[in-house]
Amino acid sequence: MNRTLKLALSAVFTSALVLPVFAQENFPDVPDNHWAYEALKNMKADGLLVGYPDGLFRGGRPASRYELAVAIHATYQKLKGLYDGLDSQIKALNSSLDGKADKADLQALRDALSAVEKDLSGMKAWGDDIANLKKLASTFEKEIASLGVDVEAMKKDIGDLKDRVDKLEKRKPAVDIHGTVDLLALAGYSTSDRFGLTVDGRPTGVGRGDYYDTPSGATRDLTILHEGALTFSGTKEEGPKWKATLVVGNMLSGYGYKLTSIDRGGAGLGSQTGTIAAPFEEAEQSIYFQDFTVSFDTSLLGQNFSAEIGRTGYKVSPYIFQRPDNTPYFANDRWDNGKYMFDGAILTMNLGPAKLDVFGGRTNTQTTSGSYGGYIQPLVVGRYSGRPIGLMEGGNGIVGEIDQFLGVNLTTPITDKATLNLAYLWLDSNSIGSFGSDGGNGNGYGTLASDEYNRLEVYGGDLKLDFDPIKLAGGYSKSVLKYNEHVALDDMNDAWWACAGFKAEKWGAKAEYREIGGNYMAPGDWGRIGIWWNPLNIKGFDASIWADLNDKLTLKAKGGWYEGLDDVGCPYWYTDSKVDTYTVDLGYKLWSGWDLSLGWEYVQYRPEPGAPKPQEQWYNIGLNYGMGANAKLSILWQISDFDAKGYDPLGVQGDGRRTGGLITTQLSVKF
């Protein structure tokens, strides 16, 4: 068989049977480096191959008899057309030459025609091959002729199949159930007869029983925690949708915080641990609903909106309304999503391209089955009078638990590259707080309009600009403390920030400047400096960079340089106070499923001229193993080296040293 015809037939049969599915321009799923690319490209241009209705070739799929029949018939018609067309052209040219007076002048043209005739004679030698092609076409004639009829039959089969699927859908369970199981072990230890200190201010190496208040090893400070969550959701496609998550475990403390409670009293550990937080321990077994919602679409006065009612959650932004992550050693989507949970409703309205959310409800109705009646993720606002940590609770600062609230959040695009977000919150407490008999001026609160408070209003917004690969963002927010409708404190209570970032394929960088007043009290989560969570009365820069050094190694580094914002606002922290912080993390892919991480965090304070310079350091070694798509094992070894250098305002008493560590192991399974 002639080589050209062989190539054509080979391309038809081989590409229809074995070509893998890829993405490229002639057929979107054929790459330009495939061995049959040019043949397919030419055959598509010649109309020999048309692909599927969606434009794909799908070469890895076996061809049916009908598809082969179409390809063979098209090839035959193309070859026959080439032959007939070339033969007609030769005859026409010869006929036009015969009537010329001087044929010698056209000899060159006749020579060219001879060459064409020679090629045509070669094509005539294809006789047997063309006959075979005709035979193939005849063999598939019925399929070609009845192709349209069979398509209709196929449509009918698909319709019958759809009816069967619909019947099966109606038989599916009315409730879908999925969930998570988390097992967590925390082993704390001490070194050099001193407790360690975690990044959230908890002592490690604290013994149990007769060893309580005694620096101990990991076997005497071992906490075993567990938690299982079942999420139930309705499967009906019509009508309101509902979902509920039931949680059982021993991770909740009496205050509703994950893993343990915030206790500035040192949990009875005296001067050894200082007055920062309680050690890890198992809580009593508790059962609670973390969420339970019904959602639906409706309209009122011509305005369409969607509603989510029940126990639900919401967040706005880190500086305005976002729950802090007080579980740095426990990873769980439900606790790490930044949403405050409450019993109430979220109403969402689309106003053209803009979206308006109205949300609010009660926050202290979410209790567990435990005897302490603890809240689930309580909403707390306030600050420490000195150096705040954790969730800004306790001490002699301004603190309040919110019982009910209402908020509005408007998100609107300004251009295709700019988005504006605005929010206003009204937060109300059933308890009345007091600044003290001295009017607050001696406690660093600034100018007070009232000695009592029970409400807080927070408002602000942010603007985000996306000029890929450059992103810009900035925002401003303010908190106003009130007693009923009267302003109690409206001084040093705002925050603003601006940042710029760049992201390339294998590296990126970000820089931010921010100023946060000493009386800023929004229920947000804007980060930490060592054990100083949601820092106040600061101004300064931070910068970060990340890079994929190769296919296995990733580097992340961050530095922050801050100083005091005001002399009044946070005692022990003045305008000439400074703090520097640095973190470095390396991630390495060991082998399939295994990842190794190494980290270092360093913080140095310069509280006032001539004072000691306290230091905080942590070294982290992490190992993660992905056991398939729904299971993961995470191991972390955190080594602490904290030295207050005798500076009492840091809240660490004794010699001010904390050396020890924490080893955590978490097994998470989703089903």
Side-chain angles (χ1 to χ4, degrees):
M1 182 181 287
N2 181 276
R3 183 173 180 271
T4 304
L5 182 57
K6 286 181 180 179
L7 288 175
L9 292 175
S10 297
V12 171
F13 286 102
T14 307
S15 61
L17 293 172
V18 300
L19 181 64
V21 178
F22 293 105
Q24 190 56 14
E25 62 178 357
N26 65 353
F27 286 99
D29 54 337
V30 180
D32 55 7
N33 61 349
H34 195 277
W35 62 267
Y37 176 85
E38 290 297 331
L40 291 172
K41 180 179 179 182
N42 294 334
M43 295 176 75
K44 182 181 180 182
D46 291 339
L48 301 181
L49 294 176
V50 295
Y52 285 83
D54 58 2
L56 300 179
F57 182 64
R58 297 179 181 169
R61 174 187 176 278
S64 69
R65 288 174 59 88
Y66 301 110
E67 292 163 346
L68 286 173
V70 171
I72 292 169
H73 181 69
T75 303
Y76 171 74
Q77 292 295 331
K78 180 65 177 179
L79 292 174
K80 185 176 182 301
L82 288 173
Y83 178 88
D84 293 341
L86 187 56
D87 185 60
S88 298
Q89 292 177 38
I90 293 172
K91 290 179 180 178
L93 286 172
N94 279 324
S95 177
S96 63
L97 291 173
D98 288 339
K100 299 298 180 182
D102 189 2
K103 293 184 179 181
D105 295 336
L106 302 176
Q107 186 59 45
L109 183 56
R110 287 190 181 276
D111 293 340
L113 282 173
S114 296
V116 174
E117 287 177 332
K118 184 178 180 179
D119 289 340
L120 183 59
S121 297
M123 292 178 66
K124 290 178 180 179
W126 295 358
D128 292 340
D129 298 333
I130 293 176
N132 290 333
L133 185 58
K134 287 182 179 180
K135 186 176 180 180
L136 284 171
S138 177
T139 301
F140 287 89
E141 183 177 359
K142 293 181 179 180
E143 283 80 7
I144 296 173
S146 62
L147 189 59
V149 176
D150 286 336
V151 169
E152 293 301 321
M154 183 175 60
K155 290 180 180 179
K156 182 179 182 301
D157 291 340
I158 293 174
D160 294 340
L161 181 60
K162 182 180 183 302
D163 292 339
R164 294 175 63 186
V165 172
D166 290 341
K167 291 179 181 179
L168 290 175
E169 285 288 329
K170 292 179 181 179
R171 296 179 185 175
K172 70 181 180 181
V175 179
D176 174 71
I177 302 176
H178 63 275
T180 61
V181 174
D182 289 290
L183 306 175
L184 179 65
L186 303 108
Y189 66 91
S190 62
T191 59
S192 303
D193 202 32
R194 291 189 292 256
F195 296 110
L197 193 65
T198 65
V199 296
D200 54 341
R202 310 182 206 278
T204 64
V206 180
R208 304 283 182 96
D210 292 339
Y211 292 90
Y212 196 65
D213 201 10
T214 302
S216 306
T219 59
R220 302 196 187 280
D221 186 13
L222 178 62
T223 302
I224 306 296
L225 302 172
H226 63 270
E227 183 177 86
L230 291 176
T231 298
F232 306 85
S233 58
T235 60
K236 291 186 177 180
E237 297 182 1
E238 298 180 354
K241 307 295 188 299
W242 67 272
K243 186 188 76 167
T245 301
L246 179 66
V247 184
V248 181
N250 66 341
M251 291 188 181
L252 273 186
S253 72
Y255 289 96
Y257 301 121
K258 205 67 169 180
L259 305 183
T260 185
S261 63
I262 300 297
D263 180 10
R264 285 181 62 86
L269 297 176
S271 62
Q272 291 267 26
T273 59
T275 57
I276 296 179
F280 295 104
E281 60 183 353
E282 296 90 352
E284 63 181 38
Q285 191 79 8
S286 61
I287 303 174
Y288 62 93
F289 277 102
Q290 185 157 8
D291 59 67
F292 203 139
T293 63
V294 176
S295 59
F296 55 89
D297 296 328
T298 185
S299 63
L300 180 64
L301 300 177
Q303 175 62 53
N304 296 328
F305 65 91
S306 61
E308 185 172 275
I309 299 175
R311 179 163 296 176
T312 184
Y314 195 85
K315 68 177 180 179
V316 177
S317 66
Y319 286 90
I320 296 178
F321 190 71
Q322 181 169 306
R323 178 171 50 83
D325 179 12
N326 69 311
T327 62
Y329 316 103
F330 174 71
N332 183 285
D333 294 340
R334 292 177 292 103
W335 281 86
D336 299 340
N337 59 18
K339 293 183 178 181
Y340 276 108
M341 307 303 296
F342 56 93
D343 289 332
I346 304 172
L347 306 180
T348 301
M349 289 168 278
N350 292 320
L351 308 175
K355 185 185 76 167
L356 176 67
D357 289 337
V358 180
F359 55 97
R362 295 268 290 167
T363 65
N364 64 355
T365 54
Q366 312 161 71
T367 57
T368 73
S369 63
S371 59
Y372 50 74
Y375 299 153
I376 305 168
Q377 302 176 347
L379 202 169
V380 179
V381 298
R383 70 162 178 83
Y384 290 126
S385 62
R387 175 178 176 274
I389 66 165
L391 298 179
M392 300 192 299
E393 182 192 2
N396 60 351
I398 306 171
V399 179
E401 284 189 354
I402 300 302
D403 295 295
Q404 49 269 327
F405 75 99
L406 176 67
V408 293
N409 184 29
L410 176 67
T411 302
T412 178
I414 300 177
T415 67
D416 60 341
K417 299 183 181 299
T419 302
L420 178 65
N421 185 59
L422 301 173
Y424 206 115
L425 301 171
W426 295 267
L427 307 162
D428 183 75
S429 175
N430 295 333
S431 302
I432 299 175
S434 175
F435 291 102
S437 59
D438 64 354
N441 292 326
N443 286 329
Y445 300 126
T447 303
L448 298 176
S450 171
D451 289 340
E452 297 178 319
Y453 55 88
N454 61 355
R455 292 181 178 175
L456 180 70
E457 293 183 9
V458 180
Y459 58 89
D462 55 67
L463 177 65
K464 297 179 180 179
L465 306 172
D466 188 354
F467 302 104
D468 192 35
I470 297 176
K471 295 185 178 181
L472 306 175
Y476 172 84
S477 55
K478 187 180 182 71
S479 64
V480 180
L481 197 65
K482 289 187 172 184
Y483 177 64
N484 295 329
E485 298 302 323
H486 304 287
V487 174
L489 178 60
D490 188 9
D491 188 22
M492 298 177 293
N493 55 344
D494 56 0
W496 70 271
W497 65 98
C499 65
F502 178 85
K503 183 178 180 180
E505 182 179 357
K506 294 186 177 295
W507 71 278
K510 180 181 178 181
E512 179 179 12
Y513 178 84
R514 59 181 177 172
E515 294 187 4
I516 306 171
N519 292 328
Y520 186 63
M521 301 175 208
D525 181 21
W526 52 88
R528 66 178 177 86
I529 301 174
I531 62 172
W532 190 6
W533 290 53
N534 279 353
L536 302 174
N537 195 31
I538 63 169
K539 62 179 180 180
F541 291 90
D542 63 61
S544 60
I545 187 171
W546 65 269
D548 292 334
L549 303 180
N550 54 46
D551 293 339
K552 294 182 177 292
L553 186 62
T554 300
L555 169 67
K556 297 180 181 179
K558 183 177 181 179
W561 305 270
Y562 293 98
E563 60 185 41
L565 184 60
D566 294 296
D567 281 333
V568 180
C570 290
Y572 317 121
W573 186 255
Y574 310 101
T575 54
D576 53 0
S577 300
K578 300 181 185 300
V579 59
D580 300 334
T581 175
Y582 304 92
T583 60
V584 178
D585 292 287
L586 283 173
Y588 186 77
K589 296 183 181 298
L590 293 174
W591 49 80
S592 178
W594 289 91
D595 295 321
L596 174 69
S597 61
L598 303 175
W600 172 67
E601 181 174 351
Y602 175 81
V603 180
Q604 183 183 69
Y605 290 92
R606 287 164 284 171
E608 53 187 320
K613 298 179 180 179
Q615 297 178 352
E616 303 173 3
Q617 288 191 91
W618 292 274
Y619 304 89
N620 297 305
I621 302 174
L623 189 63
N624 296 315
Y625 175 48
M627 299 182 290
N630 297 318
K632 182 179 181 181
L633 177 67
S634 301
I635 301 173
L636 173 67
W637 179 16
Q638 183 178 93
I639 304 169
S640 61
D641 184 3
F642 183 96
D643 189 355
K645 296 188 180 296
Y647 196 71
D648 288 339
L650 288 185
V652 178
Q653 302 168 6
D655 65 356
R657 291 297 305 277
R658 296 293 174 262
T659 59
L662 178 70
I663 301 173
T664 70
T665 303
Q666 179 182 351
L667 174 62
S668 297
V669 179
K670 297 180 180 180
F671 59 91

